[in-house]
Amino acid sequence: MPELPEVETYVRDLTPILHKRIVQGLTVLWPRIIAAPTVDQFMQGMIGQQFTDFGRRGKYMLLGLASGNTLIIHLRMTGHVTVYAQPVMPTKHTHVVFDLADGGQIHYQDSRKFGRLWFVATPTTILAKLGEEPLAAAFEPAYLVDKLARRNASIKALLLDQSVVAGVGNIYADESLFLAGIHPTRAGSSLASEEVAKLHAAIQRVLATAIEHHGSSLGDSGIQNYARPNGELGEFQGRHQVFQRTGEPCLHCGQAIQRIVLAQRSTHFCPACQQ
DNA sequence: ATAAGGCCCTGACCGC
DNA sequence: TGCGGTCAGGGCCTTA
């Protein structure tokens, strides 16, 4: 599933491909994919727009346009953006097609239809509730200590909460907790500040390393849920310590990795390394 | 304010 | 072979 490292890879890959290109027309095949404004307003707004700036906030892709507006894309579980040099027939999972002035096309595809697109004047309202960017300077250990204090939910659930840290999802929550040696069921408020500091460092290290390896490409119920815009897979899945390694030996101590369900999400951990 | 559960969706997979 | 039921999962919404 696309989390921060996968979305970051997407933005870096798309930047040189889409820079300065102009949207001439578009087709919306599944209207619910457009989160805001209305489908008509989205189409009117996007036509004639030129891509200029490319960014990311949490798991949101921010495609800045010459007019000052922004196209926001959230891939959720199975969203894909592909750029073609020539027009291509939409597939059953193609929900939005952007026709580019130079004859190319951008296809938004999404087998589960959970992804969403926005056309907005300013992205701030959409992004208002997000917590700090985990790789930014403002994400300090003290920030995380404050966010976790007085919270009785499990640390796993809190890491998935986008208002605590923006961009961490199921994969990187499990991997960060393993690296920090913290059991996923521990209540947020039960963590000592030294443990939070370890977790803080683990989150940054896991995310930075995953970006270097272009994210994790995994099957989710057999569906390939993430590939780069050019179809290449990420490489970080081969370096997972616990995620989707249920029953396999811990790479640190040899104990079998366990799977439990927390906050309605599969959670993987080493019972020996994470007491 | 926080926490927990439902909902949106589809394809793979299981059991019969 | 075909069918129905179950599962996964991000983020938003509702409920307690």
Side-chain angles (χ1 to χ4, degrees):
Chain A
M1 40 246 88
E3 305 180 19
L4 186 153
E6 290 76 23
V7 178
E8 180 66 26
T9 302
Y10 243 92
V11 170
R12 291 182 186 186
D13 285 359
L14 286 176
T15 299
I17 297 171
L18 286 182
H19 187 60
K20 298 275 189 190
R21 292 174 82 173
I22 295 168
V23 177
Q24 195 173 59
L26 69 155
T27 312
V28 176
L29 297 147
W30 184 265
R32 296 190 66 165
I33 291 289
I34 308 302
T38 66
V39 172
D40 283 348
Q41 289 169 331
F42 181 90
M43 293 180 62
Q44 285 165 23
M46 278 305 300
I47 290 171
Q49 295 285 348
Q50 181 176 39
F51 294 105
T52 52
D53 310 296
F54 300 82
R56 178 194 58 73
R57 178 79 171 93
K59 303 175 196 171
Y60 293 81
M61 243 189 292
L62 308 176
L63 307 185
L65 306 162
S67 62
N69 296 297
T70 305
L71 170 65
I72 305 179
I73 302 178
H74 197 303
L75 301 169
R76 293 274 182 99
M77 303 283 305
T78 52
H80 292 267
V81 176
T82 313
V83 183
Y84 299 102
Q86 277 102 31
V88 167
M89 283 295 289
T91 71
K92 62 187 288 200
H93 297 312
T94 306
H95 307 311
V96 184
V97 176
F98 299 82
D99 297 306
L100 300 174
D102 55 24
Q105 280 187 334
I106 306 168
H107 284 215
Y108 178 78
Q109 295 161 300
D110 192 341
S111 65
R112 293 228 167 106
K113 299 179 176 169
F114 281 1
R116 290 294 180 265
L117 278 64
W118 295 257
F119 174 80
V120 294
T122 51
T124 46
T125 46
I126 309 294
L127 310 173
K129 288 174 185 166
L130 294 178
E132 286 295 346
E133 275 299 312
L135 296 176
F139 181 65
E140 294 174 328
Y143 166 85
L144 196 55
V145 168
D146 180 60
K147 279 285 181 182
L148 300 180
R150 304 173 302 279
R151 297 293 299 268
N152 293 317
S154 69
I155 186 62
K156 169 67 184 274
L158 293 169
L159 286 178
L160 295 178
D161 182 341
Q162 299 300 295
S163 70
V164 173
V165 196
V168 174
N170 214 25
I171 299 171
Y172 300 105
D174 282 5
E175 293 295 316
S176 299
L177 286 169
F178 173 81
L179 203 58
I182 294 169
H183 197 286
T185 60
R186 298 264 312 272
S189 58
S190 77
L191 298 186
S193 53
E194 310 84 66
E195 291 179 302
V196 178
K198 274 180 92 172
L199 181 57
H200 170 271
I203 293 167
Q204 290 198 322
R205 187 169 148 208
V206 165
L207 293 176
T209 312
I211 291 171
E212 283 173 29
H213 293 89
H214 309 108
S216 305
S217 292
L218 292 169
D220 161 34
S221 301
I223 302 171
Q224 180 62 58
N225 56 29
Y226 164 74
R228 295 168 68 180
N230 66 2
E232 282 180 44
L233 302 182
E235 305 99 46
F236 193 69
Q237 64 279 4
R239 308 175 87 91
H240 289 175
Q241 304 290 305
V242 290
F243 194 78
Q244 287 194 355
R245 294 196 63 245
T246 310
E248 295 177 33
C250 171
L251 299 172
H252 182 68
C253 75
Q255 279 248 339
I257 300 302
Q258 269 186 27
R259 176 185 179 275
I260 56 172
V261 175
L262 266 183
Q264 287 121 253
R265 296 289 180 269
S266 334
T267 299
H268 313 75
F269 68 101
C270 170
C273 295
Q274 299 166 261
Q275 20 66 347

